[in-house]
Amino acid sequence: MGILNITPDSFSDGGSFLAPEAAIAHGRQLRAEGAHVLDVGGESTRPGAVPVDDATELARVLPVVEALALDGPVSIDTTKPAVARAAVAAGATLINDVSATLWPIAAELGVAWVAMHRVGTPATMQDAPRYDDVVAEVRSFLVEIAERAAAAGVPQVWIDPGIGFGKTFDHNWSLLRHIDDLVATGFPVVLGTSRKAFLGSVLATSDGAADPVPPTDRLEGSLATATWAMAHGVAMVRVHDVLPTVQAARVAAA
Ligand code: HH2
């Protein structure tokens, strides 16, 4: 799954693809590099991101979804019912929902849905997240909501532990270490580690550097975690750097 953020403030690529032509060209490039699905988003979910209204998000994503859906699968990364509906009408076939609330819309429209686990909202989610057993709690939340969505008629339900969404770095590593527990549920798992902050801490430590590396210098960490996940049965990885991920996956698979 190739990431296409049409936002001024996404944590690693904010502002790069705000003009529709730039976003469409980048989406085509990601597809040429091997992305099976393009995940179009018009609102950042990074910690502290400022929410946008329906009209702003719609204006950002719709022309891009419409154009890119003509030549392949597109997913819409949104938590807003109106945006999900309009994007599906424009050709999106998957709702990537970090709020895990939009399954009634996916059922009604007959499209696939990603249920992601998170705690709180971008404004609050990194305020000292706590779990007794992060792996078990995330797993039981996802199984319960995925079963409910499947029973309601959602044709394909994906689950995602939500790396970085209301989790400390240790929580993220635990979820990755035990990713088999999610795979074993039988629901296809999607995972997003690409360029995230927890990678920066490890990369910086092993480098002996004083500061964590910036998002665009986290490629090796993104590849290591994506490869680990795929080797453990994760069905889809959500990434910024499609070609390097495809190459790493090819080598790991061989
Ligand atoms: N992570 C982000 C956004 N959407 N969707 C799923 N299913 N899983 C994720 O881990 C996930 C997601 C955050 O990354 P990004 O889109 O690069 O940044 P931003 O939210 O700042 O636009």
Side-chain angles (χ1 to χ4, degrees):
M1 172 183 265
I3 300 173
L4 197 46
N5 285 323
I6 311 163
T7 63
D9 58 344
S10 287
F11 77 94
S12 83
D13 56 359
S16 303
F17 311 110
L18 256 185
E21 310 75 49
I24 293 163
H26 186 59
R28 293 196 173 126
Q29 171 72 27
L30 295 182
R31 238 182 218 146
E33 292 177 2
H36 293 169
V37 184
L38 297 175
D39 189 39
V40 176
E43 178 178 54
S44 174
T45 53
R46 71 178 164 75
V50 179
V52 298
D53 59 23
D54 284 17
T56 305
E57 194 173 325
L58 279 168
R60 288 177 184 169
V61 299
L62 274 191
V64 178
V65 170
E66 220 160 64
L68 291 173
L70 293 176
D71 21 77
V74 170
S75 75
I76 179 69
D77 184 355
T78 192
T79 59
K80 297 192 178 68
V83 175
R85 284 180 190 283
V88 170
T93 53
L94 172 64
I95 300 173
N96 176 26
D97 173 14
V98 303
S99 70
T101 58
L102 299 180
W103 53 271
I105 293 175
E108 179 195 326
L109 302 178
V111 295
W113 175 66
V114 175
M116 198 199 76
H117 176 276
R118 74 171 179 183
V119 173
T121 62
T124 62
M125 66 189 183
Q126 292 309 110
D127 298 347
R130 287 184 60 91
Y131 302 85
D132 289 326
D133 180 340
V134 67
V135 176
E137 287 170 46
V138 167
R139 180 185 190 279
S140 68
F141 169 84
L142 289 173
V143 167
E144 195 178 307
I145 198 116
E147 283 175 349
R148 200 184 315 163
V154 178
Q156 186 182 39
V157 180
W158 297 77
I159 59 173
D160 181 336
I163 296 296
F165 287 81
K167 282 115 191 164
T168 63
F169 291 172
D170 281 348
H171 292 143
N172 295 327
W173 291 117
S174 291
L175 287 162
L176 276 174
R177 193 175 304 120
H178 298 285
I179 197 70
D180 313 50
D181 287 17
L182 284 189
V183 172
T185 64
F187 290 101
V189 176
V190 53
L191 188 78
T193 59
S194 187
R195 300 184 182 173
K196 286 186 178 170
F198 78 119
L199 302 173
S201 67
V202 172
L203 293 168
T205 303
S206 51
D207 196 23
D211 299 318
V213 298
T216 47
D217 288 351
R218 296 175 188 157
L219 175 62
E220 297 86 347
S222 305
L223 295 177
T225 50
T227 306
W228 163 268
M230 290 184 276
H232 286 263
V234 165
M236 181 151 70
V237 288
R238 181 183 181 276
V239 303
H240 299 86
D241 302 288
V242 170
L243 183 59
T245 309
V246 170
Q247 298 285 53
R250 283 185 183 132
V251 172

Coordinates of all heavy atoms in Angstrom, one line a residue, residues 1 3-7 9-14 39 41 43-47 49 77 96-98 114-116 159-165 190-196 238 240, ligand 1:
M1 N 0.8 -1.2 0.0 CA 0.0 0.0 0.0 C 0.9 1.2 0.0 O 1.7 1.4 0.9 CB -0.9 0.0 1.3 CG -1.7 1.2 1.5 SD -2.7 1.2 3.0 CE -4.3 0.6 2.4
I3 N 1.6 5.2 0.2 CA 1.0 6.4 1.0 C 1.0 7.6 0.1 O 2.0 8.0 -0.5 CB 1.8 6.7 2.2 CG1 1.8 5.5 3.2 CG2 1.3 7.9 2.9 CD1 2.8 5.6 4.4
L4 N -0.2 8.2 0.0 CA -0.3 9.5 -0.8 C -1.0 10.5 0.1 O -2.2 10.5 0.2 CB -1.1 9.2 -2.0 CG -1.1 10.1 -3.2 CD1 0.3 10.6 -3.5 CD2 -1.7 9.5 -4.4
N5 N -0.2 11.3 0.8 CA -0.7 12.3 1.7 C -0.9 13.6 1.0 O 0.1 14.2 0.6 CB 0.2 12.5 2.9 CG 0.2 11.3 3.9 OD1 -0.9 10.8 4.1 ND2 1.3 10.9 4.5
I6 N -2.1 14.1 1.0 CA -2.4 15.4 0.4 C -2.7 16.4 1.5 O -3.8 16.7 1.7 CB -3.5 15.3 -0.7 CG1 -3.3 14.1 -1.6 CG2 -3.7 16.6 -1.5 CD1 -4.5 13.6 -2.3
T7 N -1.6 16.7 2.2 CA -1.8 17.5 3.4 C -0.6 18.5 3.5 O 0.5 18.2 3.0 CB -1.7 16.6 4.7 OG1 -0.4 16.0 4.8 CG2 -2.8 15.6 4.7
D9 N 0.8 19.1 6.4 CA 1.4 18.8 7.8 C 1.6 17.4 8.1 O 1.8 17.1 9.3 CB 0.5 19.5 8.8 CG -0.9 18.9 8.8 OD1 -1.3 18.3 7.8 OD2 -1.6 19.2 9.8
S10 N 1.6 16.5 7.2 CA 1.9 15.1 7.5 C 3.4 15.0 8.0 O 4.2 15.8 7.6 CB 1.8 14.2 6.3 OG 0.4 14.0 6.0
F11 N 3.6 14.0 8.9 CA 4.9 14.1 9.6 C 6.1 13.9 8.8 O 7.2 14.4 9.1 CB 4.9 13.1 10.8 CG 5.2 11.7 10.4 CD1 6.4 11.2 10.5 CD2 4.1 10.9 10.1 CE1 6.7 9.8 10.1 CE2 4.3 9.5 9.7 CZ 5.6 9.0 9.7
S12 N 6.0 13.2 7.6 CA 7.3 13.1 6.9 C 7.2 13.7 5.5 O 8.3 13.9 4.9 CB 7.6 11.6 6.8 OG 6.9 11.0 5.7
D13 N 6.0 13.8 4.9 CA 5.9 14.3 3.5 C 4.9 15.4 3.4 O 4.4 15.7 2.3 CB 5.6 13.2 2.6 CG 4.3 12.4 3.0 OD1 3.7 12.8 4.0 OD2 3.9 11.5 2.3
G14 N 4.6 16.1 4.5 CA 3.6 17.2 4.5 C 4.0 18.3 3.5 O 5.2 18.7 3.4
D39 N -3.1 4.7 -1.0 CA -3.9 5.1 0.2 C -3.9 6.7 0.2 O -2.9 7.3 0.6 CB -3.3 4.6 1.4 CG -4.1 4.8 2.7 OD1 -5.4 4.7 2.5 OD2 -3.6 5.1 3.7
G41 N -4.9 10.2 1.5 CA -5.4 10.9 2.8 C -5.3 12.4 2.7 O -4.4 12.9 2.1
E43 N -6.0 14.4 5.6 CA -5.9 14.9 7.0 C -4.8 14.2 7.7 O -4.8 13.0 7.8 CB -7.2 14.8 7.8 CG -7.1 15.3 9.2 CD -8.4 15.2 9.9 OE1 -9.0 14.0 10.0 OE2 -8.9 16.2 10.5
S44 N -3.8 14.9 8.3 CA -2.7 14.3 9.0 C -3.3 13.7 10.3 O -4.2 14.3 10.9 CB -1.6 15.3 9.4 OG -0.7 14.6 10.2
T45 N -2.7 12.5 10.7 CA -3.1 11.9 12.0 C -1.9 11.9 13.0 O -2.0 11.2 14.0 CB -3.6 10.5 11.8 OG1 -2.5 9.8 11.1 CG2 -4.9 10.4 11.0
R46 N -0.9 12.6 12.6 CA 0.3 12.6 13.5 C -0.1 13.2 14.9 O -1.0 14.0 14.9 CB 1.5 13.4 12.9 CG 1.2 14.9 12.8 CD 2.4 15.6 12.2 NE 1.9 17.0 11.9 CZ 1.7 17.9 12.7 NH1 1.9 17.7 14.0 NH2 1.3 19.1 12.3
P47 N 0.7 12.9 15.9 CA 0.4 13.5 17.2 C 0.4 15.0 17.1 O 1.3 15.6 16.6 CB 1.5 13.0 18.1 CG 2.0 11.7 17.4 CD 1.8 11.9 16.0
A49 N -1.7 16.9 15.3 CA -2.2 17.4 14.1 C -3.5 18.2 14.3 O -4.3 17.9 15.1 CB -2.4 16.3 13.1
D77 N -8.0 7.2 3.2 CA -7.6 7.2 4.6 C -8.3 8.3 5.2 O -8.0 9.5 5.1 CB -6.1 7.5 4.6 CG -5.5 7.4 6.0 OD1 -6.2 7.3 7.0 OD2 -4.2 7.5 6.1
N96 N -9.8 3.1 4.7 CA -8.7 2.9 5.7 C -9.0 3.8 6.8 O -8.9 5.0 6.7 CB -7.4 3.2 5.1 CG -6.3 3.1 6.1 OD1 -6.4 2.4 7.1 ND2 -5.2 3.9 5.9
D97 N -9.5 3.2 7.9 CA -10.2 4.0 9.0 C -9.4 3.9 10.3 O -9.6 2.9 11.0 CB -11.6 3.4 9.1 CG -12.4 4.0 10.2 OD1 -12.0 5.0 10.8 OD2 -13.4 3.4 10.5
V98 N -8.6 4.9 10.6 CA -7.8 4.9 11.8 C -8.7 5.0 13.1 O -8.2 4.8 14.2 CB -6.6 5.9 11.8 CG1 -5.7 5.7 10.6 CG2 -7.1 7.3 11.9
V114 N -10.4 -1.2 6.6 CA -9.3 -1.4 7.6 C -9.8 -0.9 8.9 O -10.1 0.3 9.0 CB -8.0 -0.7 7.1 CG1 -7.0 -0.9 8.2 CG2 -7.5 -1.2 5.8
A115 N -9.8 -1.8 9.9 CA -10.0 -1.4 11.3 C -8.6 -1.2 12.0 O -7.9 -2.2 12.1 CB -10.8 -2.4 12.0
M116 N -8.3 0.0 12.4 CA -7.0 0.3 13.1 C -7.3 0.6 14.5 O -8.3 1.2 14.9 CB -6.3 1.4 12.4 CG -4.8 1.4 12.8 SD -4.0 3.1 12.5 CE -4.7 4.0 13.9
I159 N -7.3 -5.9 9.7 CA -7.0 -5.3 11.0 C -5.6 -4.8 11.1 O -4.7 -5.3 10.4 CB -7.2 -6.4 12.1 CG1 -6.3 -7.6 11.9 CG2 -8.7 -6.7 12.2 CD1 -6.4 -8.6 13.1
D160 N -5.4 -3.7 11.9 CA -4.1 -3.0 11.9 C -3.9 -2.6 13.4 O -4.7 -1.9 14.0 CB -4.2 -1.8 11.0 CG -3.0 -0.9 10.9 OD1 -2.1 -1.0 11.9 OD2 -2.8 -0.2 9.9
P161 N -2.7 -2.9 14.0 CA -2.5 -2.6 15.4 C -2.3 -1.1 15.6 O -2.3 -0.6 16.8 CB -1.2 -3.4 15.8 CG -0.5 -3.6 14.5 CD -1.6 -3.7 13.4
G162 N -2.1 -0.3 14.6 CA -2.0 1.2 14.8 C -0.7 1.6 15.5 O -0.7 2.2 16.5
I163 N 0.4 1.3 14.8 CA 1.7 1.6 15.3 C 1.8 3.2 15.5 O 1.6 3.9 14.6 CB 2.9 1.1 14.4 CG1 2.8 -0.4 14.3 CG2 4.2 1.6 14.8 CD1 3.1 -1.1 15.6
G164 N 2.1 3.6 16.8 CA 2.3 5.0 17.0 C 1.0 5.7 17.4 O 1.1 6.9 17.8
F165 N -0.1 5.0 17.4 CA -1.4 5.7 17.8 C -1.8 5.3 19.2 O -2.4 4.3 19.5 CB -2.5 5.2 16.8 CG -2.4 5.8 15.4 CD1 -1.6 5.2 14.5 CD2 -3.2 6.9 15.1 CE1 -1.5 5.8 13.2 CE2 -3.1 7.4 13.8 CZ -2.3 6.8 12.9
V190 N -2.8 -5.5 8.2 CA -2.1 -4.4 7.5 C -1.3 -3.7 8.6 O -1.7 -3.6 9.7 CB -3.0 -3.5 6.7 CG1 -4.2 -3.0 7.5 CG2 -2.3 -2.3 6.1
L191 N -0.1 -3.2 8.2 CA 0.8 -2.6 9.2 C 1.4 -1.4 8.7 O 1.9 -1.3 7.5 CB 1.9 -3.6 9.6 CG 2.8 -3.2 10.8 CD1 2.0 -3.5 12.1 CD2 4.1 -4.0 10.7
G192 N 1.5 -0.3 9.5 CA 2.1 0.9 9.1 C 3.2 1.3 10.0 O 3.0 1.9 11.1
T193 N 4.5 1.1 9.6 CA 5.6 1.5 10.4 C 6.4 2.6 9.7 O 7.3 3.1 10.3 CB 6.6 0.3 10.7 OG1 7.0 -0.2 9.5 CG2 5.9 -0.8 11.5
S194 N 6.1 2.8 8.5 CA 7.0 3.6 7.6 C 7.3 5.0 8.2 O 6.5 5.8 8.5 CB 6.2 3.8 6.3 OG 7.1 4.4 5.3
R195 N 8.7 5.2 8.4 CA 9.3 6.4 8.8 C 8.8 6.9 10.2 O 9.0 8.0 10.6 CB 8.9 7.6 7.8 CG 9.5 7.3 6.4 CD 9.2 8.5 5.5 NE 9.6 8.3 4.2 CZ 9.4 9.2 3.2 NH1 8.7 10.3 3.4 NH2 9.8 8.9 1.9
K196 N 8.2 6.0 11.0 CA 7.7 6.5 12.3 C 8.7 6.7 13.3 O 9.8 6.1 13.3 CB 6.6 5.5 12.8 CG 5.3 5.7 11.9 CD 4.1 4.9 12.4 CE 2.9 5.3 11.5 NZ 1.7 4.4 11.7
R238 N 1.9 -0.6 4.8 CA 1.6 0.8 4.3 C 2.9 1.6 4.3 O 3.4 1.8 5.4 CB 0.5 1.4 5.2 CG 0.0 2.7 4.9 CD -1.0 3.3 5.9 NE -1.4 4.6 5.5 CZ -0.8 5.7 5.9 NH1 0.3 5.6 6.5 NH2 -1.3 6.9 5.5
H240 N 5.8 4.7 2.6 CA 6.1 5.8 1.7 C 7.0 5.4 0.6 O 6.9 5.9 -0.5 CB 6.8 6.9 2.6 CG 6.0 7.5 3.7 ND1 6.0 6.9 5.0 CD2 5.2 8.6 3.8 CE1 5.2 7.6 5.8 NE2 4.7 8.6 5.1
Ligands
HH2_1 N1 -0.5 5.6 10.0 C1 -0.7 6.8 9.5 C2 -1.9 7.2 8.8 N2 -2.8 6.2 8.4 N3 -3.5 4.0 8.5 C3 -3.3 2.7 8.9 N4 -4.2 1.7 8.5 N5 -2.2 2.3 9.6 C4 -1.2 3.2 10.0 O1 -0.3 2.9 10.7 C5 -1.4 4.6 9.6 C6 -2.6 4.9 8.8 C7 0.3 7.9 9.9 O2 1.3 8.0 8.9 P1 1.3 9.1 7.7 O3 0.1 9.0 6.8 O4 2.6 9.0 7.0 O5 1.3 10.5 8.4 P2 0.2 11.6 8.7 O6 -0.8 10.9 9.6 O7 1.0 12.7 9.5 O8 -0.4 12.1 7.4

